[in-house]
Amino acid sequence: MAPTPKSLILNLLLAANGAALSASDAVASAGLFGIRENSVRVALVRLNAAGMIQSCGRGAYLLGPQAASLAEDLSFWRDAEQRVCAWSGAWLMACTTHLGRSERGPLRQRERALALLGFKALADGLYVRPDNLIGHAELARERLHKLGLDTEAPVFVASDLDANLDRRARHLWRTTERNQAYVRTQQQLTQWLAQAHQLDTEAAARESYLLGNEAIRQLVFDPLLPEPLVDVAARRACHRAVVEFDAEGHRIWQTLLPSLRMPHTSSPAQTPASAPPEQPLH
């Protein structure tokens, strides 16, 4: 899927390690995807007004204060495998049955927070995931609330589900499809890297952006399930492939946009890569 002007600008800045992005570079990058110059300039104005980017000179921009939390959220995919631990069979639970559902904004934020941590609905207003994250309920609660889950929502561990409920919980994720996606993504990225040297810089930049965007989104929303629910070895192999691909994507884009090579010392947010709706990278 081709990027929007907004997502492209944010992706470039999030991947720039604190370097400034010039309006001319943003326009040139957008041209690779058939995005018109006027659309880019309108997006720059709107992002600046929203505090997502900020001017740092004539026609140059850095990430703004409103993008700091986005940058932090997007960094989690890189160390995902270091955030899991052995699974005892217990479950992390989040309860939202008592919370309002009439306001669409808070509801979307709540659902996004739960999705980012891999929770699925076990019953109306009761969400569950395996308790295999380091820090267990305490850290999960902290991150969920930071991502937008209402602070009134209880987050706790349940270790005595009856057999039927436990069986239902284990089947909430489409694990066969997920295992296949790990293998497919790893193979796709590995094959692309093997032939990338045959592409010109612009074609390589365009393709690496599109492929990397989808691959990182897959990892950002990966629930990090334990064995035996998923093939953990396949997931780890996929993660390694995405990290390697990401590094090559950054190299390609820095070749295309040399101004992104040097970090700007006053950057308000460090740049990671991980992903909510239109997650940035490359």
Side-chain angles (χ1 to χ4, degrees):
M1 179 185 298
T4 64
K6 174 183 174 181
S7 67
L8 178 62
I9 292 165
L10 290 175
N11 284 342
L12 291 173
L13 281 170
L14 285 163
N17 288 324
L21 175 69
S22 68
S24 58
D25 278 349
V27 169
S29 301
L32 297 179
F33 303 96
I35 300 172
R36 294 178 300 175
E37 177 178 349
N38 185 61
S39 298
V40 176
R41 296 195 181 279
V42 169
L44 287 169
V45 170
R46 291 178 176 174
L47 287 169
N48 191 36
M52 297 296 290
I53 63 175
Q54 61 184 19
S55 176
C56 63
R58 185 175 178 82
Y61 298 89
L62 294 168
L63 285 176
Q66 296 303 315
S69 61
L70 172 65
E72 184 177 355
D73 291 346
L74 295 185
S75 67
F76 276 93
W77 75 271
R78 292 183 180 277
D79 63 353
E81 293 299 331
Q82 282 69 57
R83 293 187 288 111
V84 297
C85 59
W87 186 40
S88 67
W91 300 91
L92 279 175
M93 297 281 195
C95 182
T96 66
T97 53
H98 60 297
L99 301 175
R101 299 179 59 85
S102 58
E103 296 185 42
R104 295 180 61 185
L107 180 60
R108 283 197 303 267
Q109 198 171 26
R110 180 189 309 160
E111 291 175 344
R112 177 178 171 273
L114 290 164
L116 279 170
L117 259 70
F119 281 82
K120 289 283 189 179
L122 181 62
D124 186 26
L126 184 63
Y127 295 82
V128 63
R129 64 151 295 122
D131 181 27
N132 69 319
L133 299 180
I134 290 174
H136 305 282
E138 181 179 359
L139 289 188
R141 184 184 305 117
E142 179 181 324
R143 188 170 178 223
L144 282 168
H145 291 163
K146 189 173 185 179
L147 288 170
L149 179 66
D150 316 62
T151 55
E152 299 85 0
V155 179
F156 54 94
V157 174
S159 57
D160 58 351
L161 298 187
D162 65 53
N164 288 334
L165 203 56
D166 185 84
R167 190 178 303 110
R168 279 178 51 200
R170 289 170 181 261
H171 287 85
L172 288 173
W173 296 267
R174 297 178 177 177
T175 53
T176 298
E177 294 178 15
R178 192 170 297 278
N179 288 338
Q180 292 171 347
Y182 292 144
V183 175
R184 183 170 59 249
T185 297
Q186 180 201 7
Q187 292 177 344
Q188 184 180 40
L189 299 186
T190 301
Q191 290 169 5
W192 190 91
L193 287 173
Q195 56 81 49
H197 64 281
Q198 301 174 16
L199 301 173
D200 62 58
T201 302
E202 290 189 355
R206 181 170 53 250
E207 291 184 15
S208 68
Y209 181 100
L210 296 173
L211 287 172
N213 203 46
E214 288 303 312
I216 291 171
R217 182 179 178 82
Q218 179 182 338
L219 294 187
V220 167
F221 285 98
D222 191 287
L224 297 173
L225 301 174
E227 298 276 9
L229 302 187
V230 295
D231 185 341
V232 172
R235 185 184 70 222
R236 289 174 177 168
C238 178
H239 181 269
R240 289 192 296 270
V242 178
V243 169
E244 181 181 0
F245 187 92
D246 178 55
E248 179 63 12
H250 279 227
R251 187 195 66 77
I252 291 168
W253 275 89
Q254 287 171 349
T255 299
L256 187 69
L257 305 177
S259 63
L260 297 185
R261 292 177 183 170
M262 296 300 294
H264 191 289
T265 56
S266 62
S267 172
Q270 295 303 310
T271 68
S274 157
E278 295 179 278
Q279 95 285 355
L281 218 78
H282 305 318

